[in-house]
Amino acid sequence: MSQQTLSERETKDAQNAVKSDTKPNTKKLFIKTYGCQMNVYDSERMADVLAPVGYAPTDTPDGADLVVLNTCHIREKAAEKVYSNLGRLRKIKNARAETDRPMTIGVTGCVAQAEGREILRREKSVDLVVGPQTYHRLPEVVAKAMAEGPQVVTDYSVEDKFEHMPLARKKQVQARGVTAFLTVQEGCDKFRTFCVVPYTRGAEVSRPLMQIMTEARSLVDAGVREITLLGQNVNAWHGESASGIPIGLGELLHELAAVDGIQRLRYVTSHPNDMDDGLIAAHRDLPVLMPYLHLPVQAGSDRILKAMNRKHTAEKYLDVIRRVREARPDIAISGDFIVGFPGETDAEFEETLALVDAVRYSQAFSFKYSPRPGTPAAGMDGQIAREVMDERLQRLQSLLNRDQLAFNQASVGKTCEVLVERKGKLPGQWLGKTPWLTSAWFEGDASIGDMVTVELVEAGPNSLRAHLS
Ligand code: 5AD
């Protein structure tokens, strides 16, 4: 996504994604998730793959037998956080070394893939380093690490990892809630000059239609009501229909919309060049496809877009937005931005602000450019001073915040459906999302999983207050 590319929603709740169904005599597994939604999904799959060998999830590292840090490499800060967390874990591990419950520490995800053996050199307490393409081998790697010492597995395996991972058990899916992620595409061949994803997630691969349908049905059988399809370039997904005809994401969404029990579909993250007519038409034709599109642009200057190797202009991006809005007039648009790409002038940055003005995002994620090892932009002339990036980010974010609040305010007075996801902080409060992916809360009679009709009555910067109607 364009790793959040999967978009950069912080995954604060991710470690809770796997709630405990601990049985006596099982080993305890704690997974901490950094970064994008795909990492959240991967953490769940790792828990699924380790369940049959006796690992049950727990929500603290203290008593865990196996601690996994599922890491993010997209920006420098994300990677550094991993090493500081490993330092803290080392202390717990050392304190447990002489007991009958030693701790095993694993590093997975994109830092594992990018740094491999270097992690073992920097942090001696690590027992295993496993990249994203080999999660299906975790049980074997954990056993080997415990028997023989540290293991590093970062090859791009030729076998299909998804084929080798069990579907989550019903109880586990239920414990994770009524919304779920489902990876349909992984990896990236686009080689944007700033982006580390092609090096950490590998080449673009689409999962076959039948595999996706089977997983979707099992999620729905367990009570999931909303599925978000994931891919670093999710709209580049391609496959074959049952009769062997080539199909794209639009058709996949049609297939999924026909599954009984699916009430909402979303997908993230898309590239403007892959927004084809079939996908745009799906936004017009499928009521279960929610009116929300995360479409990163990164910058508003054509010269910078070219230096990023994005292969589209600002005008082409705006044209995609226009066509999507024609198909689904109420669609909420979200995006990702990078300020301070090497060589970005003040005037070029102003073009980003102008693009923001033209689009009016409902929400967006914006970042200071962070040089990533091995990417072409890291070695380019004209690296931008930190203070300049700070100032640009602040200016951009104040525009984006203005638009997010305006979007929320424009929702007041509307009646819509909210999928109830969890209880609020106060008794009698419920939280869920509007079709436009805004958080909404209300008081009254409801349960998790209900699709309730509400009137939106008050807007805050990050959420809406609603009344049951
Ligand atoms: N520096 C800053 N931000 C980056 N992103 C990706 N690579 C970098 C980088 N090197 C941002 C992009 C992308 C999001 C997931 O992270 O905005 O869409």
Side-chain angles (χ1 to χ4, degrees):
M1 293 170 234
S2 42
Q3 167 102 358
Q4 186 168 20
T5 249
L6 289 196
S7 105
E8 211 45 39
R9 198 146 305 120
E10 275 301 312
T11 55
K12 294 180 201 98
D13 297 335
Q15 64 266 47
N16 302 326
V18 282
K19 279 266 152 39
S20 180
D21 59 348
T22 316
K23 294 183 205 87
N25 305 323
T26 55
K27 291 166 279 181
K28 292 206 174 85
L29 165 67
F30 174 75
I31 305 183
K32 167 130 182 93
T33 309
Y34 301 82
C36 69
Q37 295 101 319
M38 191 174 281
N39 262 7
V40 175
Y41 173 82
D42 286 346
S43 292
E44 293 176 356
R45 301 314 305 275
M46 286 191 246
D48 297 340
V49 106
L50 288 164
V53 293
Y55 284 95
T58 176
D59 45 21
T60 134
D62 298 297
D65 300 276
L66 173 60
V67 173
V68 174
L69 300 189
N70 192 15
T71 63
C72 172
H73 202 51
I74 196 80
R75 287 173 297 276
E76 188 180 355
K77 259 199 192 151
E80 281 311 313
K81 265 198 244 165
V82 173
Y83 284 106
S84 66
N85 224 322
L86 281 172
R88 279 197 287 277
L89 285 176
R90 187 198 323 125
K91 295 197 182 92
I92 308 179
K93 179 172 169 144
N94 288 346
R96 292 247 305 270
E98 301 308 321
T99 71
D100 59 353
R101 298 265 321 277
M103 181 193 268
T104 302
I105 298 179
V107 177
T108 62
C110 292
V111 176
Q113 188 64 40
E115 306 222 328
R117 209 155 274 288
E118 170 68 9
I119 297 174
L120 295 185
R121 201 191 57 78
R122 268 184 75 170
E123 187 49 70
K124 301 274 182 293
S125 61
V126 172
D127 301 287
L128 49 125
V129 175
V130 177
Q133 298 317 323
T134 43
Y135 292 155
H136 56 300
R137 290 174 52 196
L138 265 175
E140 157 211 333
V141 181
V142 171
K144 233 173 147 187
M146 280 160 49
E148 298 170 18
Q151 302 290 314
V152 178
V153 184
T154 52
D155 42 324
Y156 294 109
S157 74
V158 285
E159 68 230 19
D160 174 1
K161 71 173 165 180
F162 294 107
E163 278 289 340
H164 292 81
M165 289 199 281
L167 287 173
R169 287 172 305 165
K170 201 167 184 167
K171 240 171 79 182
Q172 281 169 324
V173 177
Q174 284 165 345
R176 290 169 188 162
V178 295
T179 63
F181 294 128
L182 200 176
T183 293
V184 300
Q185 179 281 333
E186 193 173 346
C188 184
D189 299 336
K190 291 191 163 66
F191 292 92
R192 271 73 66 121
T193 53
F194 57 83
C195 189
V196 82
V197 167
Y199 315 97
T200 59
R201 287 275 168 180
E204 243 180 75
V205 175
S206 292
R207 288 179 71 186
L209 175 68
M210 284 310 146
Q211 223 184 53
I212 295 166
M213 297 305 288
T214 305
E215 190 167 328
R217 284 197 197 96
S218 87
L219 291 171
V220 173
D221 284 348
V224 167
R225 295 284 161 260
E226 173 179 310
I227 295 181
T228 301
L229 307 181
L230 301 182
Q232 272 87 28
N233 290 291
V234 71
N235 59 342
W237 181 87
H238 54 93
E240 272 189 2
S241 71
S243 50
I245 299 165
I247 56 173
L249 185 65
E251 287 92 349
L252 173 61
L253 288 163
H254 274 271
E255 295 279 337
L256 288 164
V259 172
D260 243 8
I262 290 191
Q263 296 187 333
R264 288 181 160 188
L265 289 169
R266 304 180 185 275
Y267 61 94
V268 69
T269 282
S270 298
H271 191 279
N273 292 355
D274 293 317
M275 285 307 296
D276 64 26
D277 292 343
L279 180 54
I280 293 176
H283 278 286
R284 182 192 61 215
D285 299 334
L286 292 176
V288 295
L289 180 56
M290 292 294 101
Y292 175 89
L293 175 64
H294 182 70
L295 197 65
V297 62
Q298 315 298 358
S301 142
D302 288 345
R303 194 191 71 83
I304 294 294
L305 288 169
K306 189 152 200 270
M308 288 176 165
N309 192 31
R310 299 253 326 154
K311 300 207 164 92
H312 67 77
T313 58
E315 186 45 42
K316 159 106 198 261
Y317 177 83
L318 291 172
D319 184 56
V320 172
I321 303 276
R322 267 192 294 274
R323 288 192 293 130
V324 172
R325 283 189 164 141
E326 236 169 73
R328 181 76 207 227
D330 70 332
I331 198 158
I333 304 289
S334 113
D336 289 346
F337 295 90
I338 296 175
V339 302
F341 183 84
E344 186 186 64
T345 64
D346 283 337
E348 285 162 345
F349 170 65
E350 295 287 339
E351 293 183 68
T352 300
L353 301 182
L355 183 141
V356 168
D357 261 337
V359 174
R360 302 278 164 158
Y361 291 90
S362 69
Q363 44 179 283
F365 306 89
S366 45
F367 313 99
K368 287 181 264 188
Y369 169 71
S370 167
R372 306 314 293 130
T375 59
M380 284 180 186
D381 290 341
Q383 301 286 326
I384 304 289
R386 190 141 295 273
E387 312 80 74
V388 175
M389 286 206 264
D390 285 339
E391 200 234 312
R392 287 182 187 169
L393 189 66
Q394 213 177 13
R395 286 182 64 197
L396 173 62
Q397 289 186 340
S398 74
L399 275 199
L400 293 168
N401 291 341
R402 172 203 72 185
D403 289 349
Q404 181 169 320
L405 182 62
F407 181 89
N408 291 352
Q409 283 167 341
S411 309
V412 171
K414 284 188 186 167
T415 296
C416 69
E417 290 191 321
V418 164
L419 174 62
V420 182
E421 291 177 25
R422 55 194 166 94
K423 287 186 173 168
K425 282 202 185 95
L426 300 177
Q429 259 184 13
W430 299 96
L431 293 177
K433 299 273 178 358
T434 68
W436 309 285
L437 203 66
T438 315
S439 293
W441 64 272
F442 64 92
E443 283 164 3
D445 213 12
S447 343
I448 291 169
D450 286 354
M451 191 72 84
V452 297
T453 303
V454 301
E455 189 195 343
L456 303 170
V457 295
E458 195 186 328
N462 300 309
S463 67
L464 293 159
R465 189 161 68 84
H467 283 162
L468 279 175
S469 35

